[in-house]
Amino acid sequence: MAAMNLYVRSQLRHRRRRAFAVIGAVALGSALLIALTSLGAGFREAARAPLAGIAADLIVTRPDTGSASGQSGRGVRQPFGLATFDGAELGEVRSVQGVREASGSLQIWDFGPRSTVTIAGVDPAQRAVGPGRILDRNIVEGRALRPGERGVAVLDRHYAAFYGTKTGRQVKVGTRMLPVVGVVEIKDAAQTAAANVYLPLADAQQLAGLPADQVNQIHVQVGDSGETEEVTARINDRIGNVSAITADSLVQIMGAVGRISARFSTIAAVVGAIGGLILSWTALRGLVAERTREIGVLMALGWRRGDVVRAFRLEALVLGLAGAALGILVGLALAGLMSYVPIPELLPEPPGGAGHGGTATETGGEGLPVSISLTALAAATLLAVLGSTLAGILAAHRVTGLKPARNLVSL
């Protein structure tokens, strides 16, 4: 055993180029597995974040097939292309199989002379899912809206700072002046609930000239997130043609890279790891083949075939461990760089912009929420070590299958 260890150490010292080639190939596979897995997880997390912030799995809207030509000019109105749901339809959604919670809200726009203000009508009693959850948890000044309250407003922090408005002052919404009772910070993780001004739902309905039970967004929390598509289909069957914003639809907005990374990152990572193992197998074959004469000498001196295979297995194991360690470091570095990749803007701003320097729908400057899973690290290490060791064993078996005399005359 001591002779075997001495032989392995001497080979690692004197055949550094080949050893580095094996280590590099193993490291490449490990790094690709870690980096691609992390990239896919980052895109999936980025797509889930806008909905996770409001504890929803989907946001249901109804396309408006009417003409938008009659909605020109200033004043308060619904967003172009959105129709409403009534209270009975909201109740139908809540009764759909697989729906845990559902709350309705009303998004409207206030077209002013130089800016467009987004307004969210919120039911303060609905705090489990939807904008009410954000107002309940993210207030940074003052207080949230109270159930049954009318004639007050909560402002987005950026909007309030831009216009120098604080709690206790008034803000103009449509033609009304309303006291500001609170300021809320809408982080990017909750951008689907973003607005400049938050009003009690009844006030928003009145401003838009809608009946008291009308909403144009339904935020739905599904019991099993894996059934989101099935629940969407049931809602569509129950209340007619609807559109749904889901994590998958947000991935679509991210573009081809996001779709491929989110859906096929695991497959791509495994393919990359296998590619690295193939390269390491090629390098190990060369490492073993160039020692054919040495193997013949060792076997002529009394080494058995099993001794030679164990020596190369030990050498391949050491190289695999070194490659796995290097690959993990490179993979972590690549994942760290990916965290600087900007997240695409998932939700469009209202037409004309909000008229101030930081709308709550902006995502610029935020990087992918990349995370490294222990499973990916373990898989990268396992594949690197087992793959390189197996490659070393197979290469050694191939050479030791020859008779010592043939090894001695091999070039």
Side-chain angles (χ1 to χ4, degrees):
M1 187 65 181
M4 184 183 302
N5 292 337
L6 181 62
Y7 174 75
V8 170
R9 286 198 299 270
S10 67
Q11 293 302 314
L12 292 175
R13 284 197 306 269
H14 295 100
R15 300 183 187 272
R16 295 178 183 177
R17 182 174 298 180
R18 283 286 189 180
F20 286 146
V22 176
I23 292 173
V26 174
L28 175 63
S30 300
L32 285 175
L33 191 150
I34 294 170
L36 291 175
T37 302
S38 302
L39 181 63
F43 273 110
R44 285 192 295 271
E45 187 62 28
R48 284 195 295 263
L51 294 172
I54 57 173
D57 295 290
L58 65 149
I59 300 176
V60 179
T61 60
R62 172 172 287 159
D64 185 1
T65 56
S67 173
S69 59
Q71 299 188 25
S72 59
R74 300 176 185 175
V76 177
R77 65 194 75 253
Q78 288 195 77
F80 305 137
L82 281 187
T84 60
F85 304 96
D86 58 32
E89 289 174 316
L90 177 57
E92 288 285 343
V93 172
R94 287 173 175 156
S95 65
V96 167
Q97 179 184 352
V99 172
R100 177 181 295 170
E101 295 281 352
S103 67
S105 65
L106 181 67
Q107 184 186 70
I108 54 179
W109 294 338
D110 183 6
F111 287 87
R114 294 186 303 272
S115 65
T116 301
V117 178
T118 59
I119 302 170
V122 182
D123 182 357
Q126 299 292 331
R127 299 182 178 182
V129 60
R133 176 185 176 91
I134 301 303
L135 295 185
D136 186 49
R137 299 187 176 205
N138 289 17
I139 291 290
V140 294
E141 181 183 334
R143 61 174 177 81
L145 301 174
R146 293 169 178 167
E149 190 174 30
R150 297 287 301 272
V152 295
V154 171
L155 302 184
D156 168 62
R157 182 175 67 86
H158 297 288
Y159 183 83
F162 186 83
Y163 287 105
T165 305
K166 299 180 179 180
T167 301
R169 296 183 181 179
Q170 291 191 323
V171 62
K172 186 176 182 180
V173 183
T175 58
R176 300 176 60 185
M177 297 298 295
L178 301 177
V180 177
V181 298
V183 175
V184 64
E185 181 176 14
I186 304 298
K187 300 177 181 179
D188 287 330
Q191 61 179 287
T192 47
N196 303 135
V197 180
Y198 296 84
L199 303 178
L201 180 58
D203 286 339
Q205 291 163 338
Q206 186 180 53
L207 278 173
L210 295 173
D213 64 344
Q214 301 287 297
V215 296
N216 56 19
Q217 292 184 340
I218 300 177
H219 302 81
V220 179
Q221 186 182 87
V222 178
D224 182 356
S225 59
E227 295 183 355
T228 300
E229 291 186 7
E230 291 83 351
V231 171
T232 302
R234 292 172 195 148
I235 292 174
N236 191 78
D237 292 338
R238 188 74 65 90
I239 63 174
N241 185 35
V242 298
S243 296
I245 297 175
T246 65
D248 286 341
S249 67
L250 293 178
V251 169
Q252 295 290 326
I253 297 174
M254 287 179 175
V257 174
R259 291 194 296 273
I260 294 172
S261 298
R263 295 185 179 183
F264 306 112
S265 59
T266 303
I267 296 175
V270 172
V271 170
I274 292 175
L277 291 178
I278 292 175
L279 290 176
S280 68
W281 155 250
T282 303
L284 277 168
R285 281 187 62 184
L287 189 66
V288 174
E290 70 182 19
R291 279 185 267 173
T292 302
R293 289 185 176 183
E294 291 181 15
I295 294 172
V297 171
L298 291 173
M299 296 184 72
L301 292 175
W303 278 44
R304 292 171 297 179
R305 183 180 183 185
D307 296 328
V308 175
V309 171
R310 279 193 293 272
F312 279 99
R313 181 178 63 194
L314 177 60
E315 184 175 345
L317 175 62
V318 172
L319 294 174
L321 287 172
L326 178 60
I328 288 174
L329 291 177
V330 174
L332 292 175
L334 290 174
L337 291 175
M338 290 173 189
S339 65
Y340 292 98
V341 175
I343 302 174
E345 187 173 307
L346 302 181
L347 300 175
E349 291 189 28
H356 61 89
T359 67
T361 56
E362 291 176 356
T363 58
E366 292 292 327
L368 282 176
V370 174
S371 60
I372 309 295
S373 70
L374 293 179
T375 301
L377 293 177
T381 304
L382 187 64
L383 280 174
V385 173
L386 290 183
S388 60
T389 303
L390 179 61
I393 292 173
L394 292 176
H397 269 293
R398 182 175 180 274
V399 175
T400 55
L402 301 174
K403 294 181 179 180
R406 289 193 59 187
N407 284 333
L408 288 171
V409 298
S410 298
L411 296 177

